Amino acid sequence: MNVSASASTDVSSTTTVTTTCRLCLVRCGMKVDTVNGNVVRITGDQSHPLSKGFLCVKGMASLDYTLSPKRVIYPQKRVGERGSGKWQRVSWDKALDDIALRLNDIVGKHGAPAVAVQALPPKEYFAYDIFCEAIGGATFFKQDSHQCFTPQFMADVLTYGNLITYPGFMEVDDAEVIMLWGVNLSETNGCKNQRVRDAQKKGARTIVVDPRPTRSAQEAELWLRVRPGTDAALALGLINVMLERGWYDRKFVEEWTVGFTALAERAALYPPERVAAITWVPAEDIRKAAEMFGTAGTSALYTFIGATMGGNSIAAIRLLGFLPALLGKIDQPGSNRFLLPTGLRMPGYYGARKDAGRDEDAHQRLSADKFPLLAGPEAITSPYPHPRQVIDAMLTGKPHAVRALWTSCNPLVSVAATYTELAAL
């Protein structure tokens, strides 16, 4: 589709296309107006069930991105030394032939796993998945294996068998208390923040757990300014108070959970005063948060980046998942609801169905021995290696060589250890 910054005066040729923004995973609804095939205006889609017409500044600037003179829309081949910034435009045929020749040479000498593919949604990872299968099992990896979404997905699957703490809601109108743990919806997820605001207008109270005075924290009824990296201790403190005061569903716990006795014994070691010393959150605020969450008619807890970036993120998020479980209202209105898999091919995420991922030999995959739940045959997600082990294979050639990287990301800023990554590339 052609794009133009100015509209034609021929109104009769105006067409409106309903679509979604692709700049993040939320996919807010968009209305794209075109005149004679040229895009002239982008607005929010009022009929979208989640965004309801909202677009953030990135979405509203979509047309500017498209028209930017800095946008690369043709193949560019490096003609100078690496880092010199010297590029030459080449045809698509020439670029594809050159890439295919080089990749075939690498696969012929070292095998398909010597080709690494790095991608992360909202990029079109389907194309990469098909490519991996086409060449017989390339080394597909994402940079979020130890942070971002994958630890949260793994934690929820270990606890519930499915995703439940991720803010995947369409509305939260029935929630009386909403706990936002390490998610700043006001500034990072505007359309879902609008749904929280809708709930607040109906009387919902919010608890925000965040070390920073974010806008979400400023708008909350209770702000728990947790010390970075101590989320697990804070969760144990809340569980301690809820169990001690009897703010949990005993019948649900007896019939539908396992390991409750061990959890209670562990939580007993974390009274509010001890947790306050660890987390820097006042003991009285811990008690108040537990009371708000534990005694409301309906409570929901949502978390994401803030809790997934720590060194013990999976353990911490499992503890967060125990909080709504104790109330016994899972998958009910106003409480945490299951975010069901789509059944689509989603490399790096859903791997429960045998036909939903790639068929490569999981035993031979990088990281399968060290991180079996991430990369092995019994991986919780669709299996893929830890990014650092891919980088190590580039540097050492062990346990097998990695001689090419196809990426839609910027690995120098998306993978840890920038200088090591630079040396590998």
Side-chain angles (χ1 to χ4, degrees), residues 91-109:
S91 68
W92 283 103
D93 287 341
K94 185 174 182 179
L96 292 173
D97 288 344
D98 186 19
I99 293 169
L101 181 65
R102 293 169 186 247
L103 290 181
N104 280 329
D105 182 60
I106 290 171
V107 172
K109 292 179 179 177

Side-chain angles (χ1 to χ4, degrees), residues 408-425:
S408 62
C409 311
N410 181 355
L412 294 180
V413 298
S414 61
V415 179
T418 297
Y419 290 107
T420 302
E421 175 100 3
L422 185 60
L425 296 177

Side-chain angles (χ1 to χ4, degrees), residues 24 54 56-58 180 183-194 197 208 210 212-219:
C24 83
F54 176 89
C56 72
V57 292
K58 293 186 295 183
L180 302 175
V183 284
N184 178 21
L185 300 182
S186 296
E187 296 169 275
T188 63
N189 199 326
C191 65
K192 290 181 181 177
N193 180 60
Q194 298 301 313
R197 284 181 176 274
V208 169
D210 201 303
R212 301 175 302 124
T214 63
R215 186 179 302 170
S216 294
Q218 294 168 9
E219 297 170 350

Side-chain angles (χ1 to χ4, degrees), residues 279-294:
T279 65
W280 302 345
V281 177
E284 284 310 307
D285 285 351
I286 295 171
R287 292 188 177 93
K288 182 177 180 181
E291 182 176 6
M292 287 176 60
F293 191 82

Side-chain angles (χ1 to χ4, degrees), residues 84-133:
S84 65
K86 296 180 180 180
W87 302 88
Q88 182 181 41
R89 177 178 165 180
V90 296
S91 68
W92 283 103
D93 287 341
K94 185 174 182 179
L96 292 173
D97 288 344
D98 186 19
I99 293 169
L101 181 65
R102 293 169 186 247
L103 290 181
N104 280 329
D105 182 60
I106 290 171
V107 172
K109 292 179 179 177
H110 305 283
V115 177
V117 177
Q118 178 198 13
L120 189 69
K123 306 293 176 57
E124 293 293 357
Y125 43 81
F126 302 101
Y128 304 106
D129 189 35
I130 295 171
F131 170 79
C132 290
E133 287 189 353

